Amino acid sequence: MKTAGRLPSIHLLVEDPQLQPAVQHWGRPAVVAAARKTIELARSTKAFHQQRDELISAIKKELAERKKPYRKVINATGVVLHTNLGRAPLAHAVTEALIDAAGYCDLETDLTSGERASRLRDVEPLLAQLTTAEAGFVVNNNAAAVLLAVAGLAGKKPTAISRGHLVEIGGGFRLPTIIEASGSPLLEIGTTNRTHLHDYEEAIKKGAGLILLVHRSNFVMTGYVAEPPIKEIVSLAKQHQIPIVLDLGSGALIPTQPFGLPHEMLVQDAVQADFDAICFSGDKLMGGPQAGFLLGKRRTIDVLRKHPLARALRCDKIQLAAVIATLQLYQRQEALSQIPIWQMLATPGDQLRQRAERWKNVLGQGDVVVAQDTVGGGTLPDASVSSVALALDFRPAEILQKRLRLENPAIVTHIENDRVYVHPRTVAVVDDDVLVMGLRRALLAQE
Ligand SMILES: *Cc1c(COP(=O)(O)O)cnc(C)c1O
């Protein structure tokens, strides 16, 4: 027997005396909308025999949630930098810095002299100290950093780029389109799999105004491939006095191999390679907020800093507060212990297993299984770290997955072999109890 009929009508629910204060406070249309959403959710997750009181408290919760711009998510996917879940979660110290910056702050004031000061005054010395770069600049994200570098250094002259470096960076955006948007025509050289030094030489003869190299941060290429060593391309560019820029992508400041991951070129090493500028993201392997860094020669960075686009692409105070606080954690050697992505990647397997076992015991169901976690966020493609997950049986698995997504906080999982996998690595330890409660509710709301 189908039991869909047991759910009350939206109209009857809204009339319930318990909801009248909410009708007063939010207005009737808002309460009707919340009731509709709650009933639809109950139907779509086959939770047909929910009690009236449960439905009413779900409606109240739904109304209270309307105040929040985004809902909190417990990331149980095992993907550390989950692009759709906001990439890198911020460190506690970084979150506090955001709150301090939210009100009036000395963003562009030197409180000692009372004079106007640069909002980036603290960023550059930090970057120089951490990476040995001569100069540094920060914009809204790495796509903006690439755009600014090309616009500022190539001007209207073509940008030479290997066909093997013409990447799509996610969200449907492609590097070639970003380059063209800067006003510099693309000068594609070489082939997808093989580009040689003479290809770069010919590009220079054809009048290239800039050479752009793109580090393969989000895909791997193997087989019949060839590329000149970075050193040779840089020295060719210097010989012809053509600016050369590296889009590094991930921006790792600490080595990835100790975490069982492949080697990722470090920002410090890229700086040593003597590019005019390198650019990378703040919210990938740096583990900070969305931001785009440009590091390089003083002369080059000064040109970019004064470009009109620099003003259009600049960071706001909240973003900068998070950037500075994140860099300070690296400076104080606290990155490994304080920055969530490194804490997650460093968690030993037996600790993950213990947590998954505890979840299993509290729930009284599921299996602790071997699983793979990934870095994600368009970094370290193909790489995974061996891990564990709690595998839950529920048919159909998609229904349980949806119920979990609609928990509060939302719980995002993944499905493997028709089972819902809950990965401990990406779940903050402080969220363990809320997670287990959410799992229990979703499992119990049986058909
Ligand atoms: C991720 C990535 C970008 C884009 O960076 P955002 O900070 O997301 O704008 C550009 N280039 C490469 C190589 C990347 O990996």
Side-chain angles (χ1 to χ4, degrees):
M1 276 293 287
K2 276 281 161 222
T3 49
R6 279 199 222 150
L7 289 170
S9 79
I10 291 162
H11 173 73
L12 277 179
L13 264 178
V14 174
E15 293 309 316
D16 192 291
Q18 290 186 69
L19 279 179
Q20 296 324 297
V23 172
Q24 291 277 314
H25 184 76
W26 299 101
R28 206 180 147 78
V31 180
V32 169
R36 178 166 297 122
K37 195 164 168 193
T38 304
I39 293 287
E40 276 167 8
L41 170 62
R43 281 211 186 97
S44 74
T45 59
K46 305 199 164 118
F48 292 127
H49 65 200
Q50 276 194 50
Q51 299 299 318
R52 196 184 179 85
D53 280 355
E54 282 178 85
L55 291 169
I56 290 193
S57 71
I59 293 169
K60 286 184 184 163
K61 216 159 144 190
E62 176 63 35
L63 286 163
E65 281 302 310
R66 289 172 15 123
K67 282 189 268 186
K68 293 188 190 163
Y70 296 106
R71 290 202 185 188
K72 175 180 162 135
V73 167
I74 294 180
N75 174 11
T77 61
V79 181
V80 176
L81 294 168
H82 201 301
T83 302
N84 300 352
L85 302 180
R87 282 202 193 153
L90 299 179
H92 182 68
V94 176
T95 312
E96 299 215 308
L98 303 184
I99 294 168
D100 287 340
Y104 293 123
C105 65
D106 64 344
L107 181 71
E108 293 191 349
T109 298
D110 177 340
L111 292 172
T112 313
S113 65
E115 307 275 307
R116 174 116 193 226
S118 158
R119 61 174 61 202
L120 292 174
R121 63 192 181 277
D122 290 334
V123 179
E124 194 168 78
L126 271 168
L127 286 170
Q129 201 187 332
L130 291 169
T131 69
T132 72
E134 246 176 65
F137 192 65
V138 194
V139 287
N140 186 49
N141 58 14
N142 190 26
V146 174
L147 178 68
L148 179 58
V150 176
L153 302 177
K156 296 276 173 274
K157 288 190 187 166
T159 294
I161 181 166
S162 159
R163 290 191 171 89
H165 291 188
L166 293 172
V167 304
E168 180 166 311
I169 57 174
F173 287 98
R174 294 170 167 181
L175 221 54
T177 330
I178 294 174
I179 296 168
E180 283 171 335
S182 77
S184 161
L186 267 188
L187 179 51
E188 296 181 19
I189 64 173
T191 59
T192 306
N193 55 333
R194 295 173 73 86
T195 301
H196 305 287
L197 199 64
H198 64 77
D199 293 317
Y200 286 99
E201 277 170 339
E202 277 160 32
I204 293 171
K205 281 197 200 114
K206 282 188 195 155
L210 172 71
I211 294 175
L212 178 64
L213 305 187
V214 180
H215 176 62
R216 274 187 206 106
S217 55
N218 65 357
F219 72 111
V220 271
M221 213 156 85
T222 55
Y224 188 54
V225 296
E227 223 173 10
I230 282 181
K231 238 197 208 154
E232 289 181 15
I233 314 175
V234 171
S235 80
L236 178 76
K238 304 265 149 185
Q239 210 182 309
H240 292 87
Q241 299 183 330
I242 304 255
I244 179 163
V245 170
L246 170 69
D247 173 7
L248 185 58
S250 303
L253 287 167
I254 50 183
T256 45
Q257 301 101 304
F259 302 95
L261 294 165
H263 171 71
E264 176 70 17
M265 192 199 287
L266 295 182
V267 173
Q268 298 88 311
D269 296 339
V271 166
Q272 288 303 313
D274 215 24
F275 286 94
D276 294 278
I278 59 169
C279 29
F280 56 91
S281 276
D283 53 353
K284 292 183 178 173
L285 287 175
M286 183 184 276
Q290 177 189 300
F293 291 86
L294 280 152
L295 303 185
K297 306 279 167 213
R298 163 82 43 213
R299 207 170 0 99
T300 311
I301 299 299
D302 280 346
V303 167
L304 300 180
R305 195 195 304 276
K306 290 180 190 134
H307 193 279
L309 271 179
R311 178 63 173 76
L313 303 173
R314 80 174 179 184
C315 300
D316 83 315
K317 61 179 179 175
I318 304 285
Q319 207 177 0
L320 282 174
V323 163
I324 295 168
T326 303
L327 293 174
Q328 283 169 340
L329 290 174
Y330 282 96
Q331 183 198 32
R332 297 200 301 263
Q333 314 264 313
E334 288 173 357
L336 288 179
S337 60
Q338 305 290 320
I339 292 183
I341 66 158
W342 297 120
Q343 289 174 311
M344 289 172 185
L345 287 169
T347 313
D350 51 345
Q351 260 178 45
L352 297 174
R353 181 168 289 277
Q354 276 167 21
R355 285 171 66 202
E357 292 285 356
R358 203 176 64 78
W359 300 348
K360 175 186 155 173
N361 292 339
V362 179
L363 290 171
Q365 57 180 301
D367 291 314
V368 177
V369 296
V370 170
Q372 296 297 317
D373 292 334
T374 56
V375 178
T379 61
L380 296 168
D382 256 17
S384 58
V385 275
S386 78
S387 193
V388 298
L390 177 65
L392 296 168
D393 282 307
F394 191 96
R395 306 263 146 169
E398 287 75 17
I399 293 285
L400 178 61
Q401 193 181 37
K402 180 168 182 187
R403 282 186 193 167
L404 290 169
R405 268 202 319 271
L406 295 164
E407 270 295 321
N408 183 20
I411 299 166
V412 178
T413 57
H414 91 271
I415 293 179
E416 204 163 302
N417 307 322
D418 277 340
R419 302 172 101 190
V420 172
Y421 272 43
V422 189
H423 293 242
R425 189 185 299 278
T426 47
V427 176
V429 177
V430 292
D431 287 334
D432 268 17
D433 291 343
V434 199
L435 171 81
V436 175
M437 274 196 296
L439 291 175
R440 195 211 298 270
R441 249 193 314 270
L443 284 163
L444 281 180
Q446 293 289 359
E447 213 173 325

